[in-house]
Amino acid sequence: VFVDNYGVYTGSIDLVRSKEMGHGVAKALANFPVVFLKNHGVVVCGATIEDAVINCLMLENASGQATGWNAWSASAAENGD
């Protein structure tokens, strides 16, 4: 779902507290279900609240799988597997 289907906001590492920053996040979001905020976190959305929650859970699951894969591959490389 998220492979090549996300935006990135690099305009600031501060909290989004102005209309200009909000517009920057919205522009980075475009039509993606998620936008990553540089050094800050993510914004997840959907057509409904339920869709946004499902997208959030799917992103959490995907990031856990990626983290697990990275940890496994690093361990395998150290052990010569």
Side-chain angles (χ1 to χ4, degrees):
V1 172
F2 300 108
V3 173
D4 297 326
N5 192 29
Y6 60 88
V8 178
Y9 175 70
T10 59
S12 175
I13 61 172
D14 295 327
L15 293 175
V16 178
R17 294 184 183 210
S18 70
K19 286 183 181 182
E20 293 79 19
M21 291 173 73
H23 288 294
V25 172
K27 184 176 178 182
L29 185 60
N31 290 319
F32 300 121
V34 63
V35 63
F36 291 90
L37 309 176
K38 181 180 176 183
N39 295 327
H40 191 68
V42 298
V43 173
V44 180
C45 57
T48 65
I49 292 174
E50 291 81 6
D51 287 343
V53 170
I54 289 168
N55 285 338
C56 188
L57 293 172
M58 290 174 60
L59 179 63
E60 179 71 19
N61 187 36
S63 66
Q65 290 175 359
T67 303
W69 171 256
N70 289 337
W72 176 84
S73 61
S75 175
E78 289 175 4
N79 295 324
D81 293 341

